[in-house]
Amino acid sequence: MIKRAAAAAIGGALAVAAVPAVLGAVGFTGAGIAASSLAAKMMSAAAVANGGGVAAGSLVATLQSVGAAGLSTSSNILLGSVGSAFGALLGGARSAPPSPPPGGPRPAGEQPGENVPQVKPSKPPLGPEKHEK
C-alpha cells in the first residue's frame, strides 16, 4: 500500500510540474509566444481563422495565459488530483504474489478435495448381447 501512495504522490507532483515545462517547450513562455515555435504556428492559424486576431478565451489565448502566469491554485489542485489518481493506478498495476491460504499450509489428509467419496459409474444392465454382422 505504501508503494501505491508513493506512486500517487509522484504522479501528482509530475502532473503539476509537467504542464509549465511542456507549455514552455512548445513556445508559450512568460515573455510571450516564442518565434518559430509550435505556439507561433498555432497563433498564426488562429489569427487567420479569426480574421486577423486571436479570440479571447480561445485555446491559444488560454495556453498563452497559463504559459505567462502559470496555473491557478484550483487548476493546480485539480491537475495534482488527476495526476495522483493516475499515479496510484499505475503504481498498483503490478500484481502481488499469491498469498498462502488462511491459517497456513494444511497437513496431508486435510487438503480440499481429499477424503471425498468417489462415485463409481453404474454397470450396464445384464442381458443377451446381440452382435451385428
Side-chain angles (χ1 to χ4, degrees):
M1 192 61 148
I2 293 174
K3 288 183 182 181
R4 182 175 280 190
I10 291 169
L14 282 176
V16 171
V19 169
V22 169
L23 287 177
V26 297
F28 294 104
T29 67
I33 292 181
S36 301
S37 65
L38 177 62
K41 291 179 176 105
M42 289 175 65
M43 183 176 171
S44 174
V48 168
N50 263 341
V54 176
S58 68
L59 178 64
V60 174
T62 303
L63 292 176
Q64 179 52 41
S65 174
V66 171
L71 291 169
S72 66
T73 302
S74 59
S75 295
N76 275 326
I77 290 170
L78 178 65
L79 190 59
S81 298
V82 171
S84 293
F86 193 66
L89 181 70
L90 291 179
R94 289 178 249 153
S95 61
S99 60
R106 297 179 184 179
E110 292 184 23
Q111 296 295 329
E114 286 185 332
N115 301 328
V116 175
Q118 300 295 319
V119 177
K120 294 182 181 179
S122 61
K123 295 181 182 178
L126 296 176
E129 296 181 13
K130 296 181 182 177
H131 296 284
E132 295 182 25
K133 294 183 183 181

XYZ file of all heavy atoms in Angstrom:
862
model
N 0.830 -1.186 0.000
C 0.000 0.000 0.000
C 0.873 1.248 0.000
O 0.480 2.262 -0.547
C -0.920 -0.052 1.212
C -2.000 0.968 1.151
S -3.040 0.700 -0.278
C -4.561 1.264 0.316
N 2.053 1.161 0.607
C 2.940 2.317 0.644
C 3.416 2.645 -0.764
O 3.529 3.805 -1.129
C 4.130 2.060 1.594
C 3.604 1.980 3.028
C 5.168 3.147 1.464
C 4.633 1.597 4.041
N 3.656 1.640 -1.590
C 4.104 1.889 -2.954
C 3.039 2.641 -3.737
O 3.347 3.513 -4.526
C 4.444 0.578 -3.655
C 5.711 -0.052 -3.146
C 6.043 -1.296 -3.906
C 7.296 -1.937 -3.353
N 7.668 -3.130 -4.083
N 1.780 2.296 -3.536
C 0.697 2.972 -4.243
C 0.621 4.438 -3.801
O 0.414 5.323 -4.612
C -0.630 2.269 -3.993
C -1.768 2.926 -4.758
C -3.026 2.174 -4.620
N -2.980 1.057 -5.546
C -4.008 0.297 -5.817
N -5.151 0.500 -5.225
N -3.909 -0.684 -6.664
N 0.796 4.696 -2.506
C 0.756 6.070 -2.005
C 1.926 6.875 -2.568
O 1.761 8.041 -2.940
C 0.781 6.079 -0.481
N 3.092 6.274 -2.638
C 4.253 6.965 -3.198
C 4.046 7.247 -4.678
O 4.378 8.337 -5.163
C 5.515 6.129 -2.986
N 3.489 6.286 -5.402
C 3.218 6.484 -6.823
C 2.196 7.595 -7.030
O 2.300 8.381 -7.973
C 2.737 5.189 -7.459
N 1.210 7.678 -6.139
C 0.205 8.739 -6.234
C 0.839 10.102 -6.004
O 0.558 11.066 -6.737
C -0.916 8.497 -5.225
N 1.708 10.211 -5.016
C 2.369 11.485 -4.733
C 3.271 11.902 -5.894
O 3.281 13.074 -6.298
C 3.176 11.380 -3.443
N 3.999 10.954 -6.434
C 4.886 11.250 -7.563
C 4.066 11.653 -8.781
O 4.404 12.604 -9.486
C 5.796 10.040 -7.864
C 6.794 9.863 -6.721
C 6.512 10.209 -9.193
C 7.569 8.570 -6.770
N 2.964 10.939 -9.033
C 2.109 11.273 -10.176
C 1.535 12.666 -10.071
O 1.491 13.413 -11.056
N 1.096 13.051 -8.890
C 0.552 14.391 -8.693
C 1.597 15.468 -8.905
O 1.352 16.486 -9.565
N 2.777 15.253 -8.341
C 3.853 16.240 -8.485
C 4.304 16.363 -9.932
O 4.535 17.475 -10.434
C 5.030 15.844 -7.593
N 4.409 15.238 -10.619
C 4.825 15.279 -12.020
C 3.800 16.002 -12.883
O 4.161 16.759 -13.789
C 5.043 13.861 -12.564
C 6.346 13.191 -12.168
C 6.402 11.765 -12.695
C 7.526 13.984 -12.689
N 2.523 15.759 -12.628
C 1.483 16.412 -13.427
C 1.533 17.925 -13.257
O 1.460 18.676 -14.235
C 0.109 15.871 -13.036
N 1.683 18.387 -12.032
C 1.713 19.827 -11.772
C 2.984 20.453 -12.352
O 2.946 21.546 -12.919
C 1.587 20.115 -10.257
C 1.823 21.576 -9.943
C 0.209 19.676 -9.768
N 4.106 19.758 -12.257
C 5.372 20.299 -12.753
C 5.484 20.202 -14.269
O 6.160 21.027 -14.901
C 6.541 19.568 -12.106
N 4.821 19.220 -14.873
C 4.976 18.997 -16.310
C 4.263 20.040 -17.155
O 4.746 20.380 -18.243
C 4.472 17.607 -16.671
N 3.147 20.555 -16.705
C 2.374 21.494 -17.526
C 3.185 22.742 -17.892
O 3.301 23.072 -19.079
C 1.030 21.839 -16.851
C 0.348 22.994 -17.559
C 0.124 20.626 -16.849
N 3.767 23.460 -16.938
C 4.557 24.636 -17.341
C 5.759 24.266 -18.216
O 6.103 24.998 -19.150
C 5.030 25.241 -16.016
C 4.094 24.704 -14.989
C 3.661 23.362 -15.484
N 6.374 23.132 -17.929
C 7.536 22.708 -18.719
C 7.135 22.412 -20.166
O 7.823 22.820 -21.112
C 8.190 21.492 -18.084
N 6.022 21.720 -20.342
C 5.561 21.382 -21.692
C 5.129 22.642 -22.435
O 5.446 22.821 -23.614
C 4.423 20.336 -21.634
C 3.760 20.164 -22.981
C 4.961 19.001 -21.139
N 4.406 23.528 -21.759
C 3.974 24.775 -22.411
C 5.183 25.612 -22.838
O 5.199 26.189 -23.933
C 3.062 25.575 -21.487
C 1.652 25.012 -21.310
C 0.866 25.850 -20.309
C 0.928 24.944 -22.634
N 6.196 25.695 -21.990
C 7.415 26.427 -22.353
C 8.131 25.783 -23.522
O 8.658 26.467 -24.403
N 8.116 24.444 -23.570
C 8.800 23.730 -24.644
C 8.129 23.946 -26.006
O 8.808 23.955 -27.030
C 8.863 22.237 -24.324
N 6.808 24.118 -26.013
C 6.122 24.331 -27.293
C 6.043 25.806 -27.670
O 5.572 26.137 -28.747
C 4.720 23.683 -27.327
C 4.807 22.188 -27.192
C 3.799 24.282 -26.311
N 6.500 26.725 -26.772
C 6.608 28.129 -27.127
C 5.727 29.091 -26.358
O 5.757 30.286 -26.633
N 4.945 28.628 -25.420
C 4.130 29.522 -24.598
C 4.956 29.894 -23.370
O 4.969 29.188 -22.372
C 2.817 28.845 -24.186
C 1.901 28.553 -25.334
C 1.770 27.273 -25.837
C 1.157 29.572 -25.916
C 0.918 27.010 -26.890
C 0.297 29.311 -26.976
C 0.178 28.027 -27.465
N 5.676 31.015 -23.439
C 6.603 31.394 -22.376
C 6.073 32.590 -21.594
O 5.094 33.230 -21.992
C 7.977 31.763 -22.965
O 7.839 32.968 -23.724
C 8.517 30.649 -23.846
N 6.747 32.905 -20.502
C 6.383 34.058 -19.690
C 6.589 35.377 -20.425
O 5.944 36.379 -20.134
N 7.482 35.404 -21.407
C 7.755 36.624 -22.168
C 6.887 36.737 -23.412
O 7.009 37.698 -24.164
C 9.228 36.649 -22.570
N 6.028 35.765 -23.652
C 5.172 35.770 -24.846
C 5.412 34.523 -25.669
O 6.121 33.613 -25.266
N 4.827 34.513 -26.841
C 4.965 33.347 -27.719
C 6.315 33.409 -28.413
O 6.682 34.439 -29.012
C 3.804 33.302 -28.726
C 2.503 32.998 -27.963
C 4.051 32.266 -29.808
C 1.271 32.886 -28.802
N 7.062 32.303 -28.329
C 8.395 32.241 -28.915
C 8.291 32.133 -30.434
O 7.436 31.414 -30.969
C 9.159 31.046 -28.356
N 9.174 32.866 -31.128
C 9.188 32.854 -32.594
C 9.541 31.473 -33.122
O 10.317 30.731 -32.514
C 10.192 33.894 -33.098
N 8.956 31.110 -34.242
C 9.216 29.842 -34.945
C 8.907 28.610 -34.100
O 9.522 27.567 -34.280
C 10.673 29.773 -35.428
O 10.940 30.847 -36.300
N 8.005 28.729 -33.167
C 7.650 27.593 -32.317
C 6.276 27.043 -32.732
O 5.576 27.640 -33.562
C 7.601 28.028 -30.852
O 6.546 28.969 -30.671
N 5.918 25.955 -32.149
C 4.587 25.390 -32.374
C 3.519 26.382 -31.920
O 2.485 26.548 -32.575
C 4.440 24.063 -31.622
C 3.078 23.378 -31.695
C 2.733 23.007 -33.128
C 3.054 22.144 -30.821
N 3.771 27.090 -30.821
C 2.835 28.094 -30.330
C 2.641 29.207 -31.362
O 1.518 29.695 -31.567
C 3.335 28.676 -29.011
N 3.722 29.613 -32.042
C 3.623 30.655 -33.064
C 2.783 30.171 -34.242
O 1.967 30.919 -34.793
C 5.012 31.069 -33.531
N 2.949 28.928 -34.609
C 2.143 28.365 -35.705
C 0.674 28.287 -35.309
O -0.221 28.578 -36.117
C 2.688 26.991 -36.087
C 4.046 27.055 -36.765
C 4.559 25.681 -37.103
C 5.861 25.787 -37.852
N 7.019 25.478 -37.118
N 0.410 27.903 -34.051
C -0.969 27.855 -33.564
C -1.579 29.246 -33.559
O -2.745 29.432 -33.954
C -1.022 27.248 -32.156
C -0.738 25.766 -32.102
S -0.657 25.123 -30.416
C -2.335 25.378 -29.862
N -0.821 30.238 -33.125
C -1.325 31.608 -33.070
C -1.612 32.122 -34.475
O -2.633 32.793 -34.716
C -0.319 32.514 -32.371
C -0.799 33.923 -32.207
S 0.418 34.857 -31.274
C -0.227 36.477 -31.458
N -0.739 31.816 -35.414
C -0.935 32.257 -36.792
C -2.206 31.642 -37.372
O -3.010 32.343 -37.999
C 0.276 31.859 -37.634
O 0.052 32.163 -38.997
N -2.406 30.360 -37.144
C -3.609 29.680 -37.657
C -4.868 30.254 -37.010
O -5.889 30.451 -37.691
C -3.508 28.182 -37.407
N -4.811 30.533 -35.719
C -5.976 31.097 -35.023
C -6.275 32.501 -35.531
O -7.443 32.874 -35.701
C -5.723 31.121 -33.521
N -5.236 33.285 -35.807
C -5.439 34.643 -36.305
C -6.037 34.621 -37.705
O -6.950 35.400 -38.013
C -4.118 35.405 -36.292
N -5.554 33.743 -38.566
C -6.096 33.633 -39.917
C -7.559 33.202 -39.858
O -8.412 33.746 -40.563
C -5.256 32.642 -40.763
C -5.960 32.297 -42.064
C -3.876 33.214 -41.035
N -7.876 32.255 -38.989
C -9.248 31.762 -38.872
C -10.185 32.817 -38.313
O -11.382 32.813 -38.607
C -9.280 30.514 -37.980
N -9.655 33.762 -37.520
C -10.485 34.791 -36.886
C -10.432 36.124 -37.612
O -10.884 37.124 -37.077
C -10.038 35.003 -35.431
C -10.884 34.221 -34.470
O -11.985 33.799 -34.799
N -10.356 34.038 -33.278
N -9.847 36.159 -38.756
C -9.806 37.427 -39.499
C -8.736 38.385 -39.016
O -8.895 39.598 -39.152
N -7.682 37.900 -38.425
C -6.564 38.765 -38.071
C -6.230 38.856 -36.603
O -5.189 39.368 -36.230
N -7.066 38.376 -35.713
C -6.777 38.445 -34.285
C -7.065 37.116 -33.600
O -7.768 36.280 -34.135
N -6.508 36.944 -32.444
C -6.750 35.734 -31.659
C -7.889 36.033 -30.690
O -7.810 36.991 -29.910
C -5.478 35.293 -30.889
C -5.759 34.098 -30.012
C -4.360 34.987 -31.867
N -8.919 35.227 -30.748
C -10.101 35.456 -29.905
C -9.782 35.194 -28.436
O -9.071 34.240 -28.103
C -11.246 34.560 -30.354
N -10.320 36.058 -27.587
C -10.169 35.847 -26.143
C -10.886 34.557 -25.754
O -11.976 34.276 -26.238
C -10.770 37.029 -25.391
N -10.262 33.776 -24.912
C -10.852 32.512 -24.465
C -10.576 31.342 -25.390
O -10.960 30.216 -25.103
N -9.888 31.604 -26.513
C -9.549 30.502 -27.421
C -8.437 29.650 -26.802
O -7.824 30.033 -25.795
C -9.095 31.050 -28.778
O -7.851 31.723 -28.636
N -8.175 28.525 -27.406
C -7.134 27.631 -26.896
C -5.777 28.331 -26.850
O -5.060 28.243 -25.850
C -7.051 26.357 -27.755
C -5.968 25.363 -27.369
C -6.229 24.797 -25.972
C -5.874 24.246 -28.378
N -5.432 29.051 -27.918
C -4.142 29.740 -27.962
C -4.064 30.804 -26.857
O -3.055 30.909 -26.154
C -3.911 30.371 -29.355
C -2.644 31.226 -29.371
C -3.825 29.295 -30.414
N -5.129 31.559 -26.680
C -5.137 32.605 -25.646
C -5.019 31.992 -24.248
O -4.288 32.501 -23.396
C -6.407 33.442 -25.753
N -5.731 30.896 -24.023
C -5.676 30.238 -22.711
C -4.293 29.668 -22.434
O -3.753 29.832 -21.333
C -6.746 29.124 -22.635
O -8.026 29.706 -22.882
C -6.741 28.449 -21.294
N -3.707 28.992 -23.426
C -2.372 28.417 -23.232
C -1.328 29.512 -23.015
O -0.411 29.345 -22.202
C -1.997 27.532 -24.425
C -2.808 26.241 -24.564
C -2.409 25.497 -25.831
C -2.647 25.358 -23.342
N -1.454 30.639 -23.710
C -0.509 31.733 -23.502
C -0.657 32.318 -22.110
O 0.322 32.638 -21.450
C -0.687 32.824 -24.553
C 0.248 33.996 -24.359
C 1.718 33.581 -24.230
O 2.185 32.691 -24.944
N 2.447 34.208 -23.321
N -1.878 32.412 -21.639
C -2.120 32.922 -20.288
C -1.477 32.005 -19.251
O -0.824 32.468 -18.313
C -3.619 33.038 -20.043
O -3.879 33.386 -18.711
N -1.643 30.706 -19.423
C -1.044 29.737 -18.484
C 0.469 29.762 -18.603
O 1.195 29.698 -17.601
C -1.605 28.316 -18.735
C -0.850 27.278 -17.927
C -3.083 28.266 -18.408
N 0.985 29.876 -19.833
C 2.438 29.946 -20.029
C 3.047 31.167 -19.382
O 4.156 31.121 -18.850
N 2.321 32.285 -19.397
C 2.851 33.532 -18.846
C 2.680 33.615 -17.330
O 3.603 34.003 -16.617
C 2.159 34.718 -19.508
N 1.504 33.264 -16.833
C 1.211 33.462 -15.408
C 1.187 32.170 -14.599
O 1.177 32.201 -13.383
C -0.142 34.167 -15.266
N 1.169 31.038 -15.250
C 1.060 29.764 -14.534
C -0.401 29.407 -14.284
O -1.312 30.166 -14.614
N -0.607 28.268 -13.703
C -1.957 27.797 -13.405
C -2.454 28.391 -12.102
O -1.673 28.685 -11.195
C -1.978 26.267 -13.306
C -1.766 25.502 -14.610
C -1.542 24.039 -14.331
C -2.954 25.683 -15.526
N -3.756 28.523 -11.997
C -4.351 28.991 -10.744
C -4.246 27.893 -9.692
O -3.971 26.730 -10.002
C -5.819 29.357 -10.965
O -6.558 28.189 -11.286
N -4.474 28.242 -8.460
C -4.407 27.268 -7.367
C -5.412 26.148 -7.581
O -5.080 24.970 -7.418
C -4.666 27.963 -6.016
O -3.695 28.999 -5.854
C -4.560 26.978 -4.871
N -6.635 26.495 -7.969
C -7.644 25.453 -8.172
C -7.266 24.539 -9.337
O -7.496 23.322 -9.285
C -9.027 26.070 -8.403
O -9.011 26.912 -9.537
N -6.665 25.101 -10.391
C -6.216 24.276 -11.515
C -5.081 23.351 -11.092
O -5.018 22.194 -11.512
C -5.753 25.156 -12.674
O -6.831 25.887 -13.183
N -4.168 23.857 -10.268
C -3.086 23.010 -9.761
C -3.634 21.878 -8.892
O -3.141 20.750 -8.954
C -2.082 23.838 -8.960
C -1.043 24.485 -9.840
O -0.645 23.925 -10.858
N -0.606 25.668 -9.468
N -4.635 22.176 -8.081
C -5.229 21.141 -7.234
C -5.893 20.070 -8.093
O -5.713 18.869 -7.878
C -6.229 21.761 -6.232
C -5.468 22.578 -5.190
C -7.085 20.684 -5.565
C -6.359 23.426 -4.303
N -6.651 20.511 -9.097
C -7.316 19.561 -9.985
C -6.299 18.724 -10.744
O -6.412 17.494 -10.819
C -8.232 20.306 -10.955
C -8.957 19.448 -11.979
C -9.929 18.512 -11.269
C -9.697 20.309 -12.969
N -5.295 19.363 -11.292
C -4.257 18.656 -12.040
C -3.491 17.689 -11.132
O -3.203 16.553 -11.526
C -3.304 19.675 -12.664
C -2.303 19.158 -13.671
C -2.997 18.509 -14.844
C -1.431 20.304 -14.151
N -3.179 18.114 -9.924
C -2.487 17.239 -8.975
C -3.338 16.045 -8.587
O -2.834 14.928 -8.443
N -4.643 16.252 -8.449
C -5.544 15.144 -8.103
C -5.610 14.108 -9.222
O -5.558 12.910 -8.978
C -6.948 15.674 -7.812
O -6.924 16.539 -6.720
N -5.727 14.601 -10.437
C -5.772 13.684 -11.582
C -4.442 12.942 -11.709
O -4.410 11.719 -11.930
C -6.111 14.455 -12.878
C -5.936 13.573 -14.100
C -7.540 14.976 -12.809
N -3.340 13.653 -11.561
C -2.026 13.004 -11.621
C -1.832 11.993 -10.510
O -1.261 10.923 -10.718
N -2.338 12.290 -9.319
C -2.235 11.349 -8.197
C -3.047 10.093 -8.459
O -2.592 8.977 -8.187
C -2.727 12.005 -6.906
O -1.861 13.040 -6.535
N -4.252 10.272 -8.976
C -5.090 9.106 -9.280
C -4.427 8.243 -10.346
O -4.403 7.008 -10.235
C -6.473 9.559 -9.741
N -3.879 8.888 -11.354
C -3.211 8.143 -12.418
C -1.957 7.439 -11.883
O -1.694 6.289 -12.214
C -2.847 9.089 -13.564
C -2.434 8.400 -14.815
C -3.327 7.629 -15.543
C -1.134 8.514 -15.280
C -2.940 6.989 -16.696
C -0.731 7.881 -16.438
C -1.634 7.112 -17.153
N -1.194 8.125 -11.038
C -0.008 7.507 -10.440
C -0.368 6.329 -9.553
O 0.304 5.301 -9.563
N -1.441 6.458 -8.773
C -1.870 5.351 -7.922
C -2.332 4.171 -8.761
O -2.064 3.010 -8.434
C -2.998 5.805 -6.999
N -2.999 4.462 -9.868
C -3.452 3.401 -10.759
C -2.265 2.654 -11.340
O -2.229 1.428 -11.343
C -4.308 4.001 -11.875
C -4.888 3.029 -12.881
C -5.971 2.195 -12.215
C -5.456 3.773 -14.055
N -1.276 3.404 -11.804
C -0.084 2.763 -12.363
C 0.757 2.088 -11.281
O 1.347 1.043 -11.518
C 0.764 3.779 -13.111
C 0.175 4.322 -14.407
C 1.116 5.347 -15.017
C -0.108 3.217 -15.386
N 0.822 2.683 -10.102
C 1.605 2.108 -9.011
C 1.012 0.827 -8.476
O 1.728 -0.038 -7.973
N -0.290 0.647 -8.582
C -0.943 -0.566 -8.101
C -1.143 -1.598 -9.184
O -1.762 -2.624 -8.967
N -0.603 -1.339 -10.386
C -0.836 -2.242 -11.520
C -0.053 -3.543 -11.402
O -0.422 -4.543 -11.984
C -0.485 -1.547 -12.824
N 1.022 -3.527 -10.665
C 1.808 -4.753 -10.516
C 1.062 -5.728 -9.629
O 0.537 -5.371 -8.592
C 3.176 -4.445 -9.919
C 4.043 -3.720 -10.910
C 5.353 -3.379 -10.288
N 5.321 -1.925 -10.171
C 5.963 -1.231 -9.281
N 6.720 -1.817 -8.417
N 5.876 0.064 -9.242
N 1.029 -6.985 -10.054
C 0.299 -7.976 -9.268
C 1.166 -8.496 -8.127
O 2.371 -8.671 -8.278
C -0.149 -9.135 -10.155
O 0.976 -9.777 -10.715
N 0.535 -8.728 -7.018
C 1.231 -9.254 -5.848
C 1.320 -10.769 -5.957
O 0.486 -11.412 -6.590
C 0.464 -8.873 -4.590
N 2.342 -11.382 -5.354
C 2.422 -12.841 -5.396
C 1.234 -13.441 -4.652
O 0.679 -12.822 -3.742
C 3.746 -13.156 -4.683
C 4.075 -11.930 -3.903
C 3.425 -10.781 -4.603
N 0.812 -14.635 -5.040
C -0.343 -15.234 -4.370
C -0.059 -15.455 -2.892
O 1.039 -15.837 -2.503
C -0.547 -16.557 -5.100
C 0.715 -16.816 -5.845
C 1.381 -15.496 -6.051
N -1.046 -15.193 -2.084
C -0.880 -15.369 -0.645
C -1.237 -16.793 -0.248
O -2.038 -17.452 -0.907
C -1.768 -14.379 0.107
O -3.109 -14.592 -0.241
N -0.628 -17.301 0.834
C -0.946 -18.656 1.274
C -2.382 -18.707 1.799
O -2.961 -17.687 2.150
C 0.063 -18.920 2.394
C 0.461 -17.571 2.872
C 0.346 -16.649 1.690
N -2.964 -19.890 1.864
C -4.332 -19.991 2.378
C -4.394 -19.550 3.834
O -3.392 -19.607 4.549
C -4.672 -21.487 2.237
C -3.370 -22.177 2.085
C -2.410 -21.179 1.510
N -5.545 -19.077 4.290
C -5.653 -18.648 5.689
C -5.296 -19.782 6.635
O -5.673 -20.926 6.430
C -7.124 -18.260 5.848
C -7.691 -18.204 4.467
C -6.784 -18.960 3.578
N -4.536 -19.465 7.641
C -4.165 -20.477 8.619
C -2.928 -21.259 8.219
O -2.541 -22.198 8.888
N -2.284 -20.918 7.124
C -1.066 -21.597 6.701
C -1.356 -22.882 5.941
O -2.497 -23.227 5.658
N -0.300 -23.613 5.604
C -0.482 -24.849 4.846
C -1.242 -25.890 5.668
O -1.144 -25.950 6.891
C 0.945 -25.326 4.544
C 1.866 -24.309 5.099
C 1.082 -23.294 5.856
N -1.991 -26.705 4.995
C -2.761 -27.757 5.672
C -1.982 -29.067 5.660
O -1.300 -29.370 4.691
C -4.095 -27.963 4.963
C -4.957 -26.728 5.015
C -6.233 -26.962 4.293
N -6.996 -25.720 4.270
C -8.157 -25.585 3.688
N -8.699 -26.604 3.067
N -8.792 -24.444 3.707
N -2.111 -29.871 6.725
C -1.424 -31.165 6.741
C -2.070 -32.133 5.753
O -3.205 -31.944 5.323
C -1.604 -31.651 8.187
C -2.707 -30.827 8.759
C -2.787 -29.582 7.973
N -1.305 -33.181 5.410
C -1.822 -34.194 4.483
C -3.105 -34.801 5.053
O -3.243 -34.994 6.255
C -0.772 -35.288 4.274
N -4.023 -35.082 4.186
C -5.294 -35.645 4.606
C -6.353 -34.592 4.847
O -7.514 -34.900 5.028
N -5.932 -33.311 4.865
C -6.891 -32.233 5.081
C -6.930 -31.270 3.897
O -7.434 -30.171 4.014
C -6.534 -31.458 6.359
C -6.715 -32.259 7.628
C -6.431 -31.415 8.858
O -6.523 -30.181 8.782
O -6.104 -32.003 9.896
N -6.371 -31.686 2.777
C -6.396 -30.835 1.592
C -7.796 -30.832 0.993
O -8.512 -31.827 1.068
C -5.382 -31.342 0.549
C -3.937 -31.277 1.012
C -3.470 -29.854 1.225
O -3.919 -28.952 0.556
N -2.580 -29.666 2.188
N -8.212 -29.734 0.408
C -9.522 -29.705 -0.232
C -9.596 -30.753 -1.328
O -8.675 -30.921 -2.107
C -9.605 -28.309 -0.843
C -8.581 -27.500 -0.139
C -7.535 -28.458 0.315
N -10.654 -31.473 -1.362
C -10.847 -32.500 -2.373
C -10.402 -33.874 -1.910
O -10.731 -34.874 -2.541
N -9.644 -33.948 -0.820
C -9.242 -35.251 -0.301
C -10.376 -35.807 0.552
O -11.213 -35.076 1.067
C -7.985 -35.126 0.565
C -6.728 -34.888 -0.227
C -5.491 -34.899 0.652
O -5.593 -34.577 1.849
O -4.447 -35.224 0.132
N -10.383 -37.080 0.721
C -11.370 -37.780 1.534
C -12.798 -37.546 1.039
O -13.746 -37.584 1.807
C -11.278 -37.372 3.021
C -9.910 -37.650 3.602
O -9.243 -38.608 3.191
N -9.486 -36.822 4.528
N -12.926 -37.292 -0.236
C -14.254 -37.145 -0.814
C -14.597 -38.485 -1.455
O -13.840 -38.995 -2.272
C -14.281 -36.022 -1.873
C -15.626 -35.949 -2.563
C -13.913 -34.713 -1.224
N -15.735 -39.090 -1.069
C -16.065 -40.387 -1.658
C -16.258 -40.261 -3.165
O -16.858 -39.305 -3.650
C -17.364 -40.783 -0.957
C -17.879 -39.561 -0.299
C -16.735 -38.614 -0.151
N -15.695 -41.215 -3.876
C -15.810 -41.228 -5.323
C -16.993 -42.106 -5.720
O -17.167 -43.201 -5.199
C -14.519 -41.779 -5.956
C -13.285 -40.974 -5.630
C -13.351 -39.580 -6.215
O -13.797 -39.406 -7.336
N -12.929 -38.586 -5.455
N -17.788 -41.622 -6.613
C -18.935 -42.389 -7.091
C -18.468 -43.227 -8.262
O -17.900 -42.717 -9.220
C -20.074 -41.438 -7.525
C -21.238 -42.222 -8.079
C -20.494 -40.567 -6.362
N -18.731 -44.532 -8.181
C -18.340 -45.423 -9.265
C -19.443 -45.419 -10.315
O -20.625 -45.366 -9.979
C -18.131 -46.841 -8.732
C -16.956 -46.930 -7.780
C -16.741 -48.343 -7.309
C -15.578 -48.401 -6.329
N -15.336 -49.733 -5.827
N -19.083 -45.474 -11.582
C -20.103 -45.494 -12.621
C -20.932 -46.783 -12.531
O -20.429 -47.839 -12.149
C -19.307 -45.426 -13.927
C -17.909 -45.810 -13.579
C -17.724 -45.521 -12.121
N -22.190 -46.674 -12.861
C -23.056 -47.857 -12.788
C -22.694 -48.836 -13.900
O -22.210 -48.453 -14.957
C -24.522 -47.441 -12.895
O -24.721 -46.816 -14.150
N -22.967 -50.126 -13.638
C -22.671 -51.169 -14.614
C -23.837 -51.246 -15.595
O -24.987 -51.037 -15.220
C -22.493 -52.502 -13.902
C -21.286 -52.518 -12.991
C -21.131 -53.853 -12.312
C -19.950 -53.822 -11.358
N -19.787 -55.075 -10.653
N -23.541 -51.566 -16.855
C -24.634 -51.709 -17.819
C -25.514 -52.904 -17.441
O -25.053 -53.846 -16.806
C -23.915 -51.927 -19.154
C -22.535 -52.369 -18.806
C -22.241 -51.825 -17.452
N -26.788 -52.867 -17.818
C -27.665 -53.992 -17.470
C -27.202 -55.274 -18.143
O -26.692 -55.265 -19.255
C -29.033 -53.552 -17.980
C -28.758 -52.480 -18.964
C -27.468 -51.876 -18.585
N -27.399 -56.380 -17.435
C -27.034 -57.680 -17.977
C -28.158 -58.176 -18.875
O -29.344 -57.975 -18.590
C -26.794 -58.672 -16.851
C -25.618 -58.344 -15.916
C -25.559 -59.338 -14.791
C -24.318 -58.312 -16.673
N -27.807 -58.770 -19.905
C -28.825 -59.305 -20.814
C -28.146 -59.894 -22.041
O -26.921 -59.855 -22.173
N -28.958 -60.466 -22.898
C -28.351 -61.072 -24.098
C -27.714 -59.996 -24.967
O -28.260 -58.921 -25.166
C -29.523 -61.727 -24.802
C -30.732 -61.049 -24.275
C -30.405 -60.563 -22.912
N -26.551 -60.291 -25.368
C -25.826 -59.370 -26.230
C -26.063 -59.743 -27.673
O -26.036 -60.899 -28.032
C -24.332 -59.393 -25.921
C -24.008 -58.911 -24.533
C -22.507 -58.916 -24.275
O -21.722 -59.052 -25.226
O -22.121 -58.799 -23.107
N -26.332 -58.794 -28.489
C -26.536 -59.021 -29.894
C -25.357 -58.414 -30.648
O -25.009 -57.272 -30.436
C -27.825 -58.382 -30.377
C -29.040 -58.972 -29.750
C -30.268 -58.288 -30.296
C -31.520 -58.840 -29.623
N -32.717 -58.176 -30.063
N -24.784 -59.233 -31.493
C -23.691 -58.753 -32.324
C -24.173 -58.709 -33.748
O -24.677 -59.699 -34.271
C -22.470 -59.677 -32.201
C -21.880 -59.719 -30.819
N -21.108 -58.685 -30.338
C -21.950 -60.629 -29.825
C -20.729 -58.982 -29.094
N -21.241 -60.159 -28.761
N -24.037 -57.590 -34.359
C -24.434 -57.484 -35.768
C -23.256 -57.821 -36.630
O -22.139 -57.506 -36.352
C -24.918 -56.053 -36.047
C -26.174 -55.697 -35.290
C -26.629 -54.308 -35.642
O -26.308 -53.820 -36.727
O -27.318 -53.713 -34.798
N -23.594 -58.490 -37.724
C -22.543 -58.885 -38.659
C -22.604 -58.090 -39.901
O -23.529 -57.650 -40.412
C -22.639 -60.362 -38.991
C -22.363 -61.220 -37.780
C -22.396 -62.660 -38.171
C -22.187 -63.548 -36.984
N -22.196 -64.926 -37.289
